Amino acid sequence: MATAGSTTGADAHGALRQRKSKPSEPGREPVEQFFQDKPKTVIGEYYRDEDDISLDTVEKYVVPMLFTILSFVTRMYRIGISDIVTWDEAHFGKFGSHYLKREFYFDVHPPLGKMLVGLSGYLCGYNGSFEFKSGDHYPEDVNYTFMRIFNATFGALCVPVAYYTAKSLKFSTLATWLVTLMVLCENSYATISRFILLDSMLMLFTFTSFLGLAKFHEWRRHPFTSGWWFWLTFTGVNIGCVTSVKWVGMLTTALVGIYTIHDLWDKFGDLKMPVVTYAKHWISRIVCLIILPLTIYLACFKIHFLILENSGPGDAQMSSLFQANLRNSDLTKGPLDVAIGSKFTLKNMGYGGGLLHSHVQTFPEGSEQQQVTCYHHKDSNNEWVFYPIRGSPEYDPNDSEIRFIESGDAIRLIHENTGRNLHSHVMPAPITKDQNEVSCYGNLTVGDDKDNWIIEIVSDTAHSDNRVHTLTSSLRFRHQVLGCYLRAANVNLPPWGFKQVEVTCDKTNNPRDRFTHWNVEMHVNPRLPQGDAKAYKSPFLRDFVHLNVAMMTSNNALVPDPDKRDELASRPWQWPVLNVGLRMCGWSNDIVKYYLLGNPFVVWGSTASVAMLAIVTFVYLCRWQRKYVDMTPDEVSHFIYSGLYPALGWGLHYFPFILMARVTYVHHYLPALYFAIMTFGFLFDFGTRKLSWWARYLAYLLAYAAVIGVFALYSPISFGIIGNHENYDYLNWLSTWTI
Amino acid sequence: MASTSTKFSTLPAKDKAAILSITGLAVLVRLYKIWQPSSVVFDEVHFGGFASKYIKGRYFMDVHPPLAKLLITLAGYLAGYDGDFDFKDIGKDYIEAGVPYVAMRLLPATLGVLVIPLSFLTLKAYGCTSLTSSLGALLVLFENALTTQSRFILLDSPLVFFTALTAYAWANFQNQPAFRSSWYWYLFLTGLSLGATVSVKWVGLFTIAWVGVTTVTGLWHLLGDLSVSPKQYVKHFFWRAVFLIGVPVIFYMLMFGIHFICLVNPGDGDGFMSSEFQATLNNKKMVDTPADVAFGSHITIRHLNTQGGYLHSHDHLYPTGSKQQQITLYPHKDDNNLWLVENATEVDVDMRALPPVYLRDGDVIRLQHVSTNRRLHSHDLRPPVTEADWQNEVSAYGYKGFAGDANDNFRIEILESKSKPGKAQEYVRAIETKFRLVHTITGCVLFSHKVKLPSWAYEQQEVTCAKQGTLPNSIWYIEYNEHPTLPADAEKVNYPKVGFFKKFAELQSVMWETNAGLIASHTWDSRPEAWPYLRRGINFWVRDHKQVYLIGNIFIWWLSTAGLVIYALFKIVTILRWQRGYKDYSLPSVQAFDSTVGTNFVAWALHYFPFYLMKRQLFLHHYLPALYFAILGVVIAWDLFCKKVLRHRAIITAATIGILAIAVYTFVMLSPLAYAEPWTKYQCENAKLMKHWDFDCNVFPTDLSKYDSSHIANVSSVDGSVVEASSTATSSFQSAKDTIGEALPPRDEL
């Protein structure tokens, strides 16, 4: 690596020793002449300054333009040739349709990306009627090409962003070009950007967040100037957007967070900084990097709720009050008061709660009686009927007297479809072993007093009498014999329970535990007058939290079946070594086929660079500990912010997937790959900085040629394989690739 | 800090007297009525059971390495135990069965006692005064959880002992001048005790992590010391690697060597191991079988991945789906495992009479079950348990004389990469060839997975035909092969011999998988966040109106946790001050505080936080090693507080006695739960210091005198107290239900 500039100047280095590899000692403000000037003029070379300024100016405008044009070409070339619903277009296209039809749906991802998909449909006059079934042909009236172009624009814009980011990271011009070229010629980016998916948006906002960070770092010597404020705000807006597209955006946010803490920590050590200034730094970060992104995230959900004003397939995930406020909801007609003989569904009021459910399948363990679960979809198995307990007068539908249910009444809940009683007994619940199992047992006549439940009204948002009301009453169900409370707390059952939510009877009496609160949602009783539920509003923040908890619960339930071979899913270790690709559609000869696979040179090179950077850092650290001086403080700073931070970004966007239990796919690596590419650029730059000019040019030329060459070789998988896939067998460099 | 070692022999007479008297006291406290209760307590179900299996030599599978179990077995064996008792249920009587359980309990108890002098010596090595070292030893002594845990046949007391031994050796190693004989000795002792710790439970890896972290930081500082030449540095590095990596690895493997030597017979752990492994056990050795398989051969077919056994059928029908004859996977040798290979195109020809036509890759066959004459069959119906739409039911269908139908046809697909290179990749050869069986009509593949069928199929393993099954669960091979017209001198094959290293590696991975699979929740489990403040204990044993309940000495727990919080605050404040340019760290007392207290709290953290990442069921006793380090840390902090702040001998003595008095008082108050002593309901209620402590006070009578009178029967019954041993490999493998005590109320009538 670098030749050792080795004067063992112990004194000069004493200060550095104390503060590991951070060049910013108090009173040590390394005079980075470089940054003293206005940042705009420092775009030039770091290691090489023989270049002509006017040439640089030309480069500054012409090259990014050229790259942008190429980027639009590679992302949009032949974009409309495949007229079938490809890969997850089936999901995201459908969600976009829901916005156009304004029907409430539920999905694990936040709404921004899907709203943009909806916008693209709106712009091309699509009416939302297409179902987006995987593999179907698009009908005439869906201008899918426009929708794809809309998406591809996001993907195309990634390239200039990469260019400016590399500039801000003080890469040499040659390295900047290399990095930009690698993003441009990355097959997986070019492929995934061409479809109606969220990934191109996720990538763009990830890239822009990092651009904001790099620019902000460039401006750090000029705090509170307009440029400084601009880039800080820019970063905040973009982390807000990236998190509103997919939750993986949190990883980008984490990178920004770590940088910010590091930065504030350095400033804390600056004894010359007045406390007020320091406080201003804190406040500016809190406003721009916490409050602003959060507001954007909230705003996305607000718009989401405003657009989706009709009842739709996702209703059941939300609270009953929210549903009642959707247009065409069937909840609005339920009679106000609940009586013996009423047919109803019962909604758990905890965040993410579902409907009390039972089905003929039995517990495979414990009592082996009929299962009782919480279920998030509407289904006739959610319906229950209030019956009087045994020993009290039987329910007679023709009896003129209507027995309303009041707080403190003992009743039975009969499952409408199977006729069994909601029941509990001293038997550990299947998962939460310290609580009692709840099952369905017996029938109208067979049973015991363990079928009896006592209704307690915890609160009522609209009424103050003692009666149980539809929607507004929060109820608890106390088991008459055991004294435990009916509870469901988002614990998923194993496959035998169809991953539905476990229902238990909790022995602890905690009136504030919302998972023990239930409300009557749908209510049918022909003998009672219809009510009007529109009168009660559901507060936005509650709906927001509710929806987010529901998203998290569903996301956690996306666990792959260990027995099932899933050809599409892949394991995180396979991504950096490019062990696996992804067929994005069917593989028959008559359709255009797309294969999601990274540019092997880019992926392998970037992975190697991350490993190499770790080794280089380790060697430098050891030499530093042995008191060698290899770098000036400026160089150390460049090493940290332009080398280690991208590598950290890679780690933050990669390792969390290893810990995730949910099913993972190749495209989850795409944001991490960008940071690996930046690391590659840095290391290439760093490694070639001391070479003679011709050797450097040669090295870069070879790298450019390799990137472009491999991209060209693999371009069929991005632009679409037409005809027999066997003609492309030569692309299967590894036996695990399935082109 | 003393640069000498703290060995018993080099201590001043006063310290010797202190150690001896504290150890004597420990013997009294820890061994008091160790024969009580005289029946099986908590996980003695497992660890006593393992001792029986060692003595009988029956192979078993457990998630823990063997050292502590071997020691317990040795104690039992020396006391004349013959291994005939099965330790099946909590509360099962020892006396009548004549089990030398006292000798077996004495082993963990003795190791528990030895922790106490070790803690004294360790504190001395950290430079504590004799008074605080005594205080530390006494706090360890009067810790209820450590006491309870060490009185029974359990692994945690040996674990804590070897952890404490590591801490002792490592603390002393830091004090030795480099490359002296004592330096080598303590380094070796550290390595040896690390090996022993990890050979008791894998939690010992946390101890290794602690020694590893401190070694790396030590080496890093050494690197910055320019007076250490590169050559010396390499020497430092080398010896640490030898003693801290080499020695533990060798010791650990040695323990497994002994383990394999002891277990030579088949037992209930066979089912976890591969067929090659099982073939090394007595009686499970297989006679050589002809290699070449032909049409007309009688064969047994084994599933490769799950160790579930042989493709099996019996004269019982599925109650669901097609209601045809069941196909299962059965782990034992049986005539019902025997299948006749037929050529799908020539079913009516008696191939057994003709000269052998060998089976090749791609051949389409039918498999006829020899004892019922029905053929392996599949169709588009859902399997009995797994109701996934990508799996089909597999049944046995037909009757004698019926030619079968196309749904009986399966194609053999040899997996070249899994089969032995050579002929076995082309022809189907017993044992050497691994293949898939593809149902020709539907394209699904014969599949089995670790899903048990209900009691109507005797809880055997489900076999299905899967369209998207994982490859490992779709692989089969032929074990037994017979054809009447094969020449007598036909080539024979058998399982390849398995050497120690292969057996060792296989067992490690099986242990890992089993351990990771213990995720079912347990009535008495707890999560790590509840441990430092002692939220809840574990019910070990309830009988005859007495109870054993694992609960810590709450004073000592809270004291140690308070110490951790104080240290964390200290660290935060000093780091903030350091960044603002203050020079606190130039003070020797701050440095000493940070390094000695710090290293023990790092040890605490490394023995505590990794549990957050574990999904398996966890128990309060998993906190004990961490607790030991927390106690050491808080005592060292107290020592420095005495030296720097209190200063006056009288005040220090008074304060020490005060702390001790509270600790002993708390210990005594909760001790009936450790010793299973008579107690009253009133005393019990009073001892419930926290609302989550859920020992059952209704067990106890209202008046002590009732213990010796006949009134005892009137005391309310033990309702709702479920005593249950923790899950281990064996219990979950056999049946989850058989360890639930009789206290569990019967199921509803249905």
Side-chain angles (χ1 to χ4, degrees):
Chain A
M1 270 295 110
T3 54
S6 52
T7 38
T8 326
D11 277 331
H13 224 81
L16 246 180
R17 248 192 87 26
Q18 210 177 23
R19 202 74 34 95
K20 314 203 159 174
S21 65
K22 274 175 246 151
S24 41
E25 275 290 324
R28 58 207 145 143
E29 299 290 287
V31 190
E32 294 175 45
Q33 271 144 4
F34 211 63
F35 301 117
Q36 290 292 314
D37 310 279
K38 267 227 150 42
K40 276 182 207 158
T41 62
V42 296
I43 286 169
E45 279 286 12
Y46 188 85
Y47 296 111
R48 196 170 54 104
D49 41 14
E50 70 265 27
D51 268 17
D52 189 4
I53 287 295
S54 61
L55 249 182
D56 259 6
T57 324
V58 173
E59 193 272 343
K60 204 165 75 182
Y61 296 110
V62 173
V63 174
M65 203 112 68
L66 198 68
F67 273 125
T68 310
I69 293 166
L70 283 174
S71 170
F72 273 91
V73 170
T74 52
R75 268 56 175 171
M76 293 176 190
Y77 174 60
R78 299 208 305 200
I79 196 163
I81 57 163
S82 173
D83 67 342
I84 59 166
V85 178
T86 304
W87 183 228
D88 276 353
E89 284 186 344
H91 292 304
F92 301 114
K94 191 176 68 197
F95 295 141
S97 306
H98 284 305
Y99 285 106
L100 297 172
K101 288 189 286 184
R102 311 191 69 174
E103 284 176 355
F104 194 82
Y105 72 93
F106 174 78
D107 178 40
V108 295
H109 298 298
L112 178 61
K114 291 167 296 182
M115 290 197 294
L116 289 170
V117 171
L119 177 67
S120 71
Y122 179 74
L123 291 177
C124 66
Y126 163 54
N127 60 11
S129 58
F130 182 52
E131 265 195 74
F132 281 94
K133 271 192 145 166
S134 186
D136 274 9
H137 289 269
Y138 282 105
E140 288 292 313
D141 63 327
V142 181
N143 189 351
Y144 64 94
T145 311
F146 177 85
M147 291 174 79
R148 283 186 184 163
I149 287 175
F150 183 89
N151 259 264
T153 309
F154 286 90
L157 288 175
C158 288
V159 173
V161 171
Y163 174 85
Y164 288 115
T165 308
K167 282 278 178 199
S168 296
L169 291 174
K170 303 281 171 287
F171 287 1
S172 67
T173 308
L174 290 173
T176 305
W177 293 1
L178 176 61
V179 166
T180 316
L181 205 57
M182 284 169 84
V183 174
L184 174 71
C185 295
E186 169 48 48
N187 293 74
S188 58
Y189 289 175
T191 314
I192 203 132
S193 300
R194 333 167 59 80
F195 300 103
I196 306 168
L197 303 172
L198 303 189
D199 299 273
S200 55
M201 300 159 188
L202 179 77
M203 269 157 42
L204 179 66
F205 290 129
T206 306
F207 287 26
T208 48
S209 299
F210 191 55
L211 172 70
L213 194 65
K215 284 282 185 192
F216 179 68
H217 182 71
E218 240 184 319
W219 278 86
R220 73 194 181 287
R221 303 276 165 213
H222 309 275
F224 310 117
T225 57
S226 55
W228 185 91
W229 276 112
F230 174 79
W231 288 112
L232 184 61
T233 313
F234 181 85
T235 312
V237 169
N238 280 294
I239 59 177
C241 289
V242 74
T243 316
S244 306
V245 173
K246 277 191 183 184
W247 276 350
V248 270
M250 307 254 209
L251 306 175
T252 318
T253 312
L255 180 68
V256 175
I258 289 173
Y259 172 83
T260 308
I261 290 166
H262 180 178
D263 184 32
L264 290 173
W265 179 248
D266 277 352
K267 292 190 166 49
F268 182 69
D270 180 358
L271 298 180
K272 281 180 284 182
M273 182 180 286
V275 177
V276 177
T277 313
Y278 189 61
K280 268 173 79 184
H281 275 292
W282 267 92
I283 292 165
S284 61
R285 266 45 161 220
I286 290 170
V287 170
C288 293
L289 299 181
I290 298 176
I291 296 175
L292 183 60
L294 205 61
T295 312
I296 291 173
Y297 188 71
L298 281 164
C300 287
F301 276 90
K302 183 73 194 176
I303 299 168
H304 177 75
F305 289 144
L306 286 176
I307 297 178
L308 304 176
E309 58 176 17
N310 296 320
S311 168
D315 286 15
Q317 291 283 353
M318 299 301 290
S319 73
S320 306
L321 265 187
F322 179 88
Q323 296 179 44
N325 280 294
L326 292 170
R327 202 174 292 157
N328 305 331
S329 162
D330 55 356
L331 300 186
T332 45
K333 301 184 188 86
L336 180 66
D337 297 315
V338 180
I340 295 287
S342 282
K343 186 165 85 175
F344 61 96
T345 60
L346 208 54
K347 174 90 172 175
N348 188 282
M349 296 185 73
Y351 287 122
L355 294 163
L356 190 70
H357 180 95
S358 183
H359 39 230
V360 290
Q361 283 82 0
T362 56
F363 287 112
E365 56 204 29
S367 68
E368 300 184 7
Q369 294 171 3
Q370 182 171 308
Q371 294 176 14
V372 172
T373 65
C374 240
Y375 187 52
H376 284 100
H377 301 276
K378 300 209 166 168
D379 166 346
S380 64
N381 270 331
N382 300 335
E383 288 167 9
W384 303 79
V385 179
F386 279 125
Y387 265 78
I389 60 169
R390 293 188 181 81
S392 62
E394 287 287 316
Y395 167 62
D396 174 9
N398 303 319
D399 189 357
S400 63
E401 186 208 9
I402 294 173
R403 278 182 275 168
F404 291 107
I405 297 173
E406 301 196 336
S407 184
D409 284 358
I411 40 84
R412 281 187 298 157
L413 287 87
I414 304 262
H415 187 239
E416 169 86 349
N417 279 1
T418 60
R420 299 195 186 280
N421 304 281
L422 188 74
H423 182 93
S424 183
H425 35 219
V426 183
M427 171 77 66
I431 311 256
T432 317
K433 290 268 164 67
D434 58 346
Q435 299 182 6
N436 290 329
E437 182 190 274
V438 174
S439 64
C440 252
Y441 170 61
N443 54 35
L444 262 184
T445 47
V446 176
D448 55 27
D449 56 2
K450 284 183 186 158
D451 299 339
N452 300 349
W453 299 84
I454 294 167
I455 289 202
E456 294 176 6
I457 297 183
V458 186
S459 63
D460 193 307
T461 50
H463 309 274
S464 54
D465 58 353
N466 214 17
R467 278 193 190 163
V468 173
H469 300 292
T470 311
L471 295 171
T472 58
S473 298
S474 306
L475 311 170
R476 291 202 298 166
F477 290 83
R478 179 157 56 86
H479 195 253
Q480 196 181 36
V481 177
L482 304 172
C484 55
Y485 287 90
L486 192 69
R487 185 171 194 264
N490 295 341
V491 178
N492 293 100
L493 290 168
W496 55 252
F498 311 98
K499 301 265 175 80
Q500 294 171 9
V501 173
E502 182 191 45
V503 173
T504 62
C505 196
D506 188 359
K507 293 167 210 163
T508 54
N509 174 8
N510 179 5
R512 279 173 307 177
D513 179 1
R514 291 199 71 101
F515 292 121
T516 61
H517 295 185
W518 304 79
N519 66 264
V520 174
E521 184 174 290
M522 178 216 78
H523 178 201
V524 178
N525 194 333
R527 302 201 298 161
L528 293 171
Q530 285 193 1
D532 177 26
K534 286 278 187 208
Y536 324 114
K537 288 280 169 246
S538 181
F540 165 69
L541 271 182
R542 246 196 89 73
D543 294 338
F544 166 78
V545 177
H546 191 101
L547 180 53
N548 274 273
V549 173
M551 285 156 64
M552 196 177 310
T553 315
S554 308
N555 198 32
N556 291 343
L558 290 177
V559 180
D561 180 346
D563 281 336
K564 190 174 179 180
R565 186 183 68 237
D566 187 346
E567 311 231 297
L568 302 174
S570 51
R571 307 293 309 154
W573 68 263
Q574 298 176 298
W575 307 334
V577 293
L578 203 64
N579 171 279
V580 68
L582 175 74
R583 288 182 180 179
M584 299 181 78
C585 51
W587 223 242
S588 58
N589 286 341
D590 54 342
I591 57 174
V592 183
K593 296 166 284 289
Y594 294 91
Y595 192 74
L596 187 64
L597 182 78
N599 178 325
F601 179 79
V602 173
V603 177
W604 287 333
S606 63
T607 305
S609 76
V610 173
M612 195 65 203
L613 186 70
I615 296 168
V616 169
T617 311
F618 179 73
V619 169
Y620 274 115
L621 271 178
C622 287
R623 287 179 56 82
W624 171 74
Q625 178 77 343
R626 290 301 280 184
K627 315 278 191 290
Y628 292 98
V629 179
D630 295 316
M631 292 192 219
T632 64
D634 285 358
E635 285 172 317
V636 172
S637 171
H638 179 67
F639 193 91
I640 291 173
Y641 290 104
S642 305
L644 294 183
Y645 263 93
L648 176 70
W650 174 82
L652 282 174
H653 283 82
Y654 176 62
F655 289 111
F657 286 103
I658 295 177
L659 300 177
M660 270 182 216
R662 68 160 276 178
V663 56
T664 48
Y665 298 99
V666 185
H667 64 261
H668 289 152
Y669 187 63
L670 299 183
L673 178 62
Y674 175 62
F675 290 98
I677 289 173
M678 283 295 165
T679 312
F680 183 87
F682 168 79
L683 207 63
F684 206 90
D685 201 13
F686 188 77
T688 54
R689 73 191 192 280
K690 301 239 163 107
L691 297 180
S692 58
W693 68 270
W694 60 268
R696 286 186 66 210
Y697 278 100
L698 185 65
Y700 275 104
L701 276 177
L702 286 175
Y704 296 160
V707 173
I708 298 170
V710 176
F711 174 73
L713 180 66
Y714 276 87
S715 60
I717 65 169
S718 303
F719 297 151
I721 298 173
I722 300 170
N724 193 342
H725 58 84
E726 279 166 21
N727 299 338
Y728 296 89
D729 248 356
Y730 63 90
L731 291 178
N732 285 327
W733 286 1
L734 296 187
S735 62
T736 48
W737 296 357
T738 49
I739 300 169
Chain B
M1 226 189 289
S3 69
T4 51
S5 48
T6 53
K7 278 191 288 190
F8 183 72
S9 55
T10 57
L11 286 178
K14 195 179 65 162
D15 287 349
K16 281 185 185 169
I19 289 189
L20 287 177
S21 47
I22 292 173
T23 312
L25 184 63
V27 170
L28 292 179
V29 171
R30 292 292 182 85
L31 306 189
Y32 175 70
K33 291 194 184 172
I34 193 157
W35 53 88
Q36 195 168 286
S38 60
S39 57
V40 178
V41 175
F42 194 55
D43 276 357
E44 289 188 342
V45 167
H46 304 305
F47 303 117
F50 294 142
S52 303
K53 285 166 193 163
Y54 269 126
I55 288 173
K56 294 283 186 191
R58 283 199 206 115
Y59 190 81
F60 67 88
M61 225 312 285
D62 181 31
V63 294
H64 302 299
L67 174 60
K69 289 173 286 184
L70 284 168
L71 290 174
I72 290 166
T73 309
L74 185 67
Y77 181 75
L78 293 179
Y81 176 51
D82 53 10
D84 280 337
F85 188 69
D86 63 4
F87 294 89
K88 203 163 180 308
D89 296 310
I90 293 175
K92 191 164 181 180
D93 189 60
Y94 283 133
I95 307 276
E96 213 166 297
V99 182
Y101 72 102
V102 174
M104 290 164 81
R105 280 184 188 168
L106 271 176
L107 181 101
T110 311
L111 294 179
V113 167
L114 289 177
V115 170
I116 289 148
L118 270 180
S119 60
F120 184 95
L121 292 169
T122 312
L123 288 167
K124 279 303 245 185
Y126 281 116
C128 292
T129 62
S130 300
L131 186 65
T132 29
S133 301
S134 307
L135 174 69
L138 287 167
L139 289 181
V140 175
L141 166 55
F142 287 111
E143 212 300 295
N144 296 61
L146 289 170
T147 305
T148 313
Q149 199 72 23
S150 73
R151 290 171 55 83
F152 303 106
I153 308 171
L154 302 172
L155 304 190
D156 298 271
S157 181
L159 179 75
V160 173
F161 169 75
F162 289 117
T163 310
L165 189 64
T166 312
Y168 163 76
W170 193 233
N172 268 308
F173 169 76
Q174 312 289 349
N175 295 338
Q176 308 307 317
F179 309 125
R180 293 270 191 77
S181 60
S182 61
W183 185 89
Y184 286 110
W185 159 245
Y186 281 113
L187 193 57
F188 172 70
L189 187 63
T190 308
L192 197 67
S193 44
L194 277 181
T197 315
V198 79
S199 303
V200 173
K201 276 192 178 186
W202 278 352
V203 184
L205 289 171
F206 302 158
T207 319
I208 292 180
W210 171 57
V211 170
V213 166
T214 39
T215 305
V216 168
T217 44
L219 283 172
W220 180 249
H221 287 305
L222 212 58
L223 189 67
D225 182 354
L226 295 186
S227 68
V228 177
S229 70
K231 201 177 146 194
Q232 276 174 313
Y233 190 79
V234 170
K235 199 171 162 191
H236 271 287
F237 195 94
F238 174 76
W239 285 113
R240 280 172 173 84
V242 167
F243 284 123
L244 299 181
I245 299 173
V247 170
V249 167
I250 291 169
F251 187 90
Y252 183 73
M253 293 180 80
L254 201 65
M255 289 304 115
F256 276 91
I258 299 173
H259 179 76
F260 291 138
I261 290 169
C262 290
L263 302 175
V264 288
N265 301 315
D268 55 19
D270 295 5
F272 290 90
M273 312 312 292
S274 68
S275 326
E276 288 89 343
F277 192 108
Q278 291 182 30
T280 64
L281 300 169
N282 291 338
N283 312 332
K284 280 237 168 178
K285 291 198 179 106
M286 203 189 74
V287 286
D288 292 351
T289 195
D292 292 306
V293 181
F295 289 108
S297 278
H298 280 171
I299 57 171
T300 61
I301 303 175
R302 243 183 134 151
H303 193 234
L304 182 67
N305 195 41
T306 59
Q307 287 95 44
Y310 302 90
L311 188 69
H312 181 92
S313 187
H314 40 225
D315 196 7
H316 297 278
L317 308 181
Y318 284 122
T320 61
S322 67
K323 306 217 160 77
Q324 294 171 1
Q325 183 169 303
Q326 298 168 11
I327 297 285
T328 66
L329 217 56
Y330 180 63
H332 305 292
K333 286 187 181 154
D334 187 287
D335 285 345
N336 272 331
N337 301 338
L338 216 55
W339 299 86
L340 167 70
V341 186
E342 294 175 322
N343 190 337
T345 51
E346 306 174 48
V347 182
D348 34 0
V349 183
D350 182 9
M351 299 298 249
R352 286 178 76 74
L354 301 174
V357 179
Y358 298 126
L359 242 62
R360 305 179 64 129
D361 187 23
D363 280 345
V364 178
I365 59 165
R366 288 183 185 175
L367 287 168
Q368 192 184 125
H369 190 236
V370 174
S371 57
T372 62
N373 294 112
R374 295 191 163 119
R375 291 193 183 84
L376 190 71
H377 184 91
S378 181
H379 36 222
D380 191 13
L381 287 169
R382 299 288 74 75
V385 175
T386 312
E387 295 188 14
D389 55 4
W390 52 275
Q391 294 198 45
N392 288 346
E393 183 192 86
V394 174
S395 63
Y397 171 65
Y399 46 85
K400 199 172 174 79
F402 176 63
D405 65 24
N407 269 333
D408 298 345
N409 292 358
F410 286 86
R411 188 176 63 246
I412 293 181
E413 280 188 11
I414 293 180
L415 292 152
E416 285 192 13
S417 59
K418 304 269 178 188
S419 302
K420 194 178 173 188
K423 261 166 78 181
Q425 294 176 328
E426 195 179 337
Y427 289 92
V428 176
R429 283 164 64 88
I431 293 172
E432 293 172 357
T433 303
K434 309 289 187 282
F435 56 85
R436 301 196 302 167
L437 284 171
V438 184
H439 191 242
T440 48
I441 288 188
T442 60
C444 63
V445 177
L446 195 69
F447 179 86
S448 183
H449 50 177
K450 284 213 184 251
V451 169
K452 264 193 264 177
L453 292 167
S455 54
W456 50 254
Y458 312 99
E459 305 200 338
Q460 292 167 12
Q461 193 168 306
E462 185 182 60
V463 176
T464 68
C465 193
K467 286 175 190 139
Q468 287 173 293
T470 52
L471 179 66
N473 275 346
S474 314
I475 304 178
W476 305 82
Y477 66 93
I478 290 163
E479 184 180 277
Y480 169 82
N481 171 31
E482 179 270 331
H483 196 286
T485 57
L486 265 181
D489 60 346
E491 188 188 349
K492 299 264 172 84
V493 285
N494 205 333
Y495 285 111
K497 287 254 181 302
V498 198
F500 167 74
F501 289 100
K502 236 179 145 183
K503 279 167 83 174
F504 173 78
E506 182 184 334
L507 182 53
Q508 299 304 310
S509 76
V510 169
M511 284 163 69
W512 174 263
E513 276 160 30
T514 315
N515 194 32
L518 294 178
I519 45 168
S521 79
H522 183 274
T523 320
W524 298 100
D525 66 2
S526 49
R527 290 303 302 172
E529 55 269 24
W531 300 339
Y533 68 100
L534 197 61
R535 183 178 186 268
R536 183 195 190 207
I538 306 173
N539 199 357
F540 268 18
W541 180 89
V542 183
R543 210 181 168 193
D544 302 338
H545 308 282
K546 291 173 192 159
Q547 185 167 188
V548 179
Y549 182 90
L550 180 77
I551 192 78
N553 184 324
I554 188 160
F555 173 69
I556 297 173
W557 286 57
W558 282 52
L559 191 70
S560 65
T561 306
L564 293 163
V565 172
I566 290 167
Y567 177 75
L569 291 176
F570 160 84
K571 196 77 198 169
I572 291 168
V573 169
T574 50
I575 288 177
L576 288 174
R577 281 171 59 85
W578 169 75
Q579 180 72 352
R580 294 293 291 177
Y582 292 93
K583 307 284 180 214
D584 301 325
Y585 274 91
S586 52
L587 294 172
S589 57
V590 173
Q591 278 178 7
F593 182 78
D594 196 37
S595 66
T596 54
V597 180
T599 186
N600 280 293
F601 284 156
V602 166
W604 170 83
L606 287 171
H607 283 83
Y608 175 63
F609 289 113
F611 283 110
Y612 280 92
L613 300 178
M614 286 190 201
K615 291 194 190 102
R616 66 159 276 179
Q617 49 174 247
L618 296 173
F619 293 96
L620 182 67
H621 54 249
H622 288 134
Y623 186 63
L624 294 180
L627 176 72
Y628 179 75
F629 285 108
I631 293 176
L632 289 188
V634 80
V635 169
I636 298 167
W638 167 253
D639 184 68
L640 286 161
F641 182 72
C642 290
K643 284 173 185 161
K644 294 289 158 194
V645 182
L646 295 181
R647 299 222 180 128
H648 299 287
R649 199 176 160 73
I651 301 176
I652 294 171
T653 315
T656 307
I657 290 173
I659 293 173
L660 210 52
I662 304 173
V664 173
Y665 177 79
T666 321
F667 175 80
V668 171
M669 183 177 63
L670 292 168
S671 64
L673 289 172
Y675 296 118
E677 285 279 88
W679 220 13
T680 65
K681 192 171 170 176
Y682 174 75
Q683 288 170 315
C684 172
E685 295 289 356
N686 276 347
K688 252 187 198 178
L689 297 179
M690 292 193 27
K691 81 170 182 185
H692 291 293
W693 289 7
D694 47 3
F695 39 88
D696 186 1
C697 288
N698 295 327
V699 172
F700 300 103
T702 47
D703 186 347
L704 280 181
S705 64
K706 297 201 170 155
Y707 276 102
D708 16 65
S709 66
S710 54
H711 293 291
I712 196 90
N714 296 338
V715 183
S716 67
S717 70
V718 200
D719 189 48
S721 299
V722 185
V723 189
E724 196 181 334
S726 72
S727 311
T728 69
T730 336
S731 69
S732 61
F733 186 70
Q734 289 165 339
S735 159
K737 263 174 240 157
D738 58 16
T739 50
I740 300 177
E742 76 274 55
L744 195 69
R747 192 181 305 171
D748 297 296
E749 57 297 325
L750 219 185

